[in-house]
Amino acid sequence: MSKLSITIDGHTFVVESPPLHRTTGAITVRVDGQSVQVLTPETGSPELLDWLIVERRPYEVAVDPNLRWMRSRFGLHQVEVRDLEATVARPASGDGRIKAPIPGLITRVLVSPGEAVELGQPLLVLEAMKMENEIRAPRAGRVTQIHVAPGQSVALGVVVAEVE
């Protein structure tokens, strides 16, 4: 069993699961001590995961290959995953560049260069697949650059803003 701390939009869960790279189909995981039944497709990697069934409820999802965000019908969610059994913690990147998590259209820019922002504060709104996704600050700091404008299309991974 792997023991992970998974934070989704500021809410932390302790998840124990069998090694996922070896598991497909129905699995039982423990979330904060409660058993949860999960059915997953045979993908081989998290970024290819596009659906799962949790306790008989289907969910369509998209998962960042770096496990920093996930998208569901409820919107775009910031994710942080820590292995609680690892002997060395993964260092924070310290990189204040904010990249487009999905391709889409910038509909609003909510901050200006020089403006102070808090962790998780909305910076931009990116429309993709008829859904508005708030792009949030990865940390508290000051906006140093905005690289996009409303009406601009962006590709996956394009730097849209920087926070220092």
Side-chain angles (χ1 to χ4, degrees):
M1 290 285 255
S2 297
K3 191 170 186 179
L4 305 170
S5 170
I6 301 176
T7 303
I8 302 172
D9 290 339
H11 301 284
T12 301
F13 307 92
V14 174
V15 178
E16 297 175 76
S17 74
L20 296 179
H21 64 279
R22 294 188 207 144
T23 307
T24 58
I27 60 173
T28 300
V29 299
R30 294 186 63 77
V31 179
D32 292 337
Q34 300 291 319
S35 290
V36 177
Q37 296 296 314
V38 179
L39 179 66
T40 62
E42 294 186 32
T43 62
S45 76
E47 63 266 18
L48 299 177
L49 182 68
D50 60 355
W51 63 268
L52 57 113
I53 298 172
V54 179
E55 294 292 326
R56 298 187 203 149
R57 290 183 161 158
Y59 296 91
E60 288 186 35
V61 296
V63 180
D64 172 39
N66 296 316
L67 298 176
R68 295 188 185 252
W69 60 264
M70 67 176 279
R71 186 187 55 203
S72 71
R73 71 173 189 231
F74 303 108
L76 189 66
H77 309 281
Q78 290 184 326
V79 176
E80 179 184 329
V81 179
R82 288 187 313 121
D83 184 345
L84 295 176
E85 297 171 337
T87 56
V88 177
R90 180 177 168 207
S93 70
D95 189 351
R97 294 179 302 155
I98 299 136
K99 298 178 182 179
I102 51 179
L105 178 72
I106 301 296
T107 58
R108 288 180 297 199
V109 176
L110 306 172
V111 295
S112 301
E115 190 173 330
V117 294
E118 296 298 319
L119 171 68
Q121 179 179 336
L123 305 175
L124 313 161
V125 177
L126 173 69
E127 184 179 299
M129 299 187 328
K130 299 183 182 179
M131 290 179 56
E132 287 193 342
N133 302 284
E134 288 184 334
I135 308 303
R136 298 176 179 269
R139 63 182 178 195
R142 189 162 304 282
V143 177
T144 56
Q145 292 189 10
I146 298 289
H147 297 283
V148 294
Q152 181 177 341
S153 292
V154 294
L156 170 70
V158 169
V159 177
V160 295
E162 295 181 44
V163 174
E164 186 175 82

